Structure formats: structure tokens, C-alpha cells
Amino acid sequence: MTTGRTLGALLAAVALATVASLCLGGRVFGPVEIGQALWSGDGSAHDQVIRDLRVPRTLVGLLVGAALGLSGALMQGLTRNPLADPGILGVNAGAALGVALAITQWGIVAPGGQVGFALAGAALTTLVVAAIGRPRRGGDVVTLTLSGVAVGAVLTGLTSGLVLLHPRAFDSMRSWNAGSITVVGYDRVLAVAPFIAAGVVLALVLGRSINALALGDDTARALGVRLVRTRVLALVAVTLLCGAATAAAGPIVFVGLMVPHIVTALIGPDHRRVMVCSLLAGPVLVLGCDLLGRYVAQPRELPVGVVAAAVGAVLLAVVIRRRP
């Protein structure tokens, strides 16, 4: 499929997923009702559900999906590792530990305050994984992946321990820790949107350099790419994207791993195009998993993180089976 057709299809899919997220749920609304609630609502209960619940939930799904999809594509290009993913490399776990510390140790419950801790946790985790997993002599990318898995497991255990030691924090973090966009407000959208926007701009600017890095360090250097500068800026972009996404919705896995794989299968390995398409495909996957979670366990809902893990595991198995 050509890049133009893929972009068109993804834009249509994002629009469709957005409308479906606003309309579907425990109470189904028609597009006309959605429009009336947004532009000329009378303050009824239905209008409040749409404005105060559905809209911020959809906006967070769009932001988180875009951040995770793009960060996954960026990490895979930067490390030349098809298994690179914010979840597998432990970045999400670091951000989650930062939020857990903010809540349990300092009582910070405001989304704006939690974002800073999430960014710090993501940044420190990225540095630790990079230091541990850096191959010494001719090592392969599996070393980095194993380091990320090990560090992520330790950080996840620490987060669980903190939450269990603080029952009140456990009550407030239960759905967040499973990866949820169910109970969010505009304050959370406003808190994370600037960081995700900055990460998106920085990642897309690095597209050409990431493409060159995929050819190897020597080739990239011959093409005029500043390796250290590119890697540092890429890690900054990953930290902004993953830290803000985790602060908004908790640790959601597999999105950053699977989206670039699907996009690459459609348009090829050009990382500039893969990153742009992953930016659009991520929200489709997150909102799709959220919609599935609204209906699969009715009358209750499953967090998007649980559904994404199940869907991602199936997709990963398909990818593995199709590899030569």
C-alpha cells in the first residue's frame, strides 16, 4: 500500500475511532446528540456525560495512543531493535514508579504534579537500561532488550510494593495502575498535552537522522548525522512521550511494540514515514481497545491496558509466526 493511501486510511480510522469513542458505551449517543452536547448543550445529564466523561476520555486516548505509537517507532529506529518498546525496555515502569512515589510519599494527586515525577522516572530508567544494556564488543540488540525487561520487572515490583503499603494510594491508583483512561478530566488532558506535543515535534524532526542510523553508525556519520546529539535528543523525545502518556493513563504495554510492526508491514521500513503513520495508528489501537473493554465484560468495563495487553499478545504471536 502506498504511503498516501495509508495516511488517508489512518486519518479516516482516527476520525471513526474518535466518533465511536464519543458515541458508544453504557449509554449510546447518536452523532446529533454529540454535536448538540458540544455546541449547544442545556446542562442535562446526557450532556454532562458527553462533556465531562466521554470527551476527556477520548482526548486522553488520542494523546496516549499517539505518544506510545510514535515512541515505539522512534525507539525501534534508534536501537535498530524490532523488539524495542517503552514497555519492554522498562520506560513505562520507570514513569509508573515516579507517579507512585509522588502519590505515596508526597501525597501529590494533581495531574500536573505527577507528570514531572513520571518524566523523571522515565528519564532515569532510560539511562539505566542504556548503561546496563550497552553491548561492549559486537553485542546484539537482545542485550538491550533483556536489560529493559530486568529493570522493568524490578521497577514494577517496587511500584506494587509501594501501592500495597499505602492502602489509600492503592484505592486511587487501582485503575490507573492497570492502564486506564476511564476516569479522567480536562485537568489531566491539559497537564500532559504540552509534553506530548513537544515530544511529537522533536521525534518527527529527527526522522531523517533516525533513518540514517538504521543503516549503521558509520553510514550515518558519513551522511552527516551527529550520532551523540541525535541519540540524546531521541531519548529526550522518548522520555517526554512515555512519561506524559504514563502519567495520563498508567502503564499500557504492547502499543509501542505492535503499531510500528503493523505500519512497517504496510508501507515499508522508511522510519520517517513509519513514525508519521505510527503517530496516527497508535490512537486507533488505544481507542479500539478502550471500546472493546467497554463491552467485553458488561455491565463493567475492562481497563484499556488489560485489553491492549491481550490484543498485543495475539498480534505479537502472529508477527512471530509470520517471520521467516
Side-chain angles (χ1 to χ4, degrees), residues 75-211:
M75 292 181 76
Q76 290 179 16
L78 178 67
T79 62
R80 298 192 290 274
N81 180 1
L83 293 177
D85 163 76
I88 290 179
L89 294 186
V91 181
N92 286 354
L97 178 59
V99 175
L101 286 171
I103 295 175
T104 59
Q105 303 302 310
W106 290 280
I108 298 175
V109 295
Q114 293 175 1
V115 172
F117 283 87
L119 294 175
L124 290 174
T125 303
T126 301
L127 294 175
V128 170
V129 171
I132 296 175
R134 182 179 180 182
R136 294 182 179 178
R137 292 184 179 179
D140 55 44
V141 294
V142 175
T143 305
L144 184 66
T145 303
L146 294 176
S147 300
V149 171
V151 172
V154 172
L155 296 180
T156 299
L158 291 175
T159 301
S160 299
L162 281 173
V163 173
L164 291 175
L165 289 174
H166 298 79
R168 293 183 180 178
F170 178 76
D171 289 337
S172 65
M173 290 183 64
R174 183 179 300 158
S175 61
W176 177 90
N177 204 34
S180 175
I181 62 174
T182 303
V183 183
V184 295
Y186 292 104
D187 56 344
R188 194 168 296 273
V189 175
L190 295 174
V192 303
F195 297 99
I196 292 178
V200 167
V201 172
L202 183 56
L204 295 181
V205 168
L206 293 172
R208 177 184 172 277
S209 299
I210 297 299
N211 237 12

Side-chain angles (χ1 to χ4, degrees), residues 17-291:
T18 300
V19 173
S21 180
L22 293 173
C23 293
L24 302 179
R27 167 72 163 85
V28 178
F29 299 100
V32 175
E33 291 176 287
I34 298 294
Q36 290 176 344
L38 294 178
W39 283 282
S40 60
D42 56 6
S44 65
H46 292 167
D47 290 346
Q48 291 178 0
V49 168
I50 294 171
R51 288 183 174 182
D52 299 335
L53 297 178
R54 295 280 177 88
V55 172
R57 180 174 185 170
T58 301
L59 290 175
V60 169
L62 290 170
L63 290 171
V64 169
L68 295 179
L70 179 57
S71 63
L74 179 59
M75 292 181 76
Q76 290 179 16
L78 178 67
T79 62
R80 298 192 290 274
N81 180 1
L83 293 177
D85 163 76
I88 290 179
L89 294 186
V91 181
N92 286 354
L97 178 59
V99 175
L101 286 171
I103 295 175
T104 59
Q105 303 302 310
W106 290 280
I108 298 175
V109 295
Q114 293 175 1
V115 172
F117 283 87
L119 294 175
L124 290 174
T125 303
T126 301
L127 294 175
V128 170
V129 171
I132 296 175
R134 182 179 180 182
R136 294 182 179 178
R137 292 184 179 179
D140 55 44
V141 294
V142 175
T143 305
L144 184 66
T145 303
L146 294 176
S147 300
V149 171
V151 172
V154 172
L155 296 180
T156 299
L158 291 175
T159 301
S160 299
L162 281 173
V163 173
L164 291 175
L165 289 174
H166 298 79
R168 293 183 180 178
F170 178 76
D171 289 337
S172 65
M173 290 183 64
R174 183 179 300 158
S175 61
W176 177 90
N177 204 34
S180 175
I181 62 174
T182 303
V183 183
V184 295
Y186 292 104
D187 56 344
R188 194 168 296 273
V189 175
L190 295 174
V192 303
F195 297 99
I196 292 178
V200 167
V201 172
L202 183 56
L204 295 181
V205 168
L206 293 172
R208 177 184 172 277
S209 299
I210 297 299
N211 237 12
L213 279 177
L215 302 175
D217 288 357
D218 293 336
T219 302
R221 192 179 292 107
L223 292 173
V225 175
R226 298 179 181 179
L227 301 184
V228 175
R229 175 177 174 272
T230 298
R231 289 192 171 106
V232 170
L233 291 177
L235 292 178
V236 170
V238 168
T239 298
L240 289 171
L241 293 169
C242 297
T246 303
I252 299 177
V253 298
F254 277 121
V255 175
L257 175 63
M258 295 313 309
V259 167
H261 276 286
I262 297 171
V263 170
T264 301
L266 292 174
I267 64 172
D270 187 328
H271 286 286
R272 291 172 298 180
R273 299 173 181 176
V274 168
M275 286 197 292
V276 172
C277 290
S278 296
L279 178 68
L280 299 174
V284 176
L285 180 57
V286 169
L287 290 179
C289 290
D290 182 46
L291 286 169

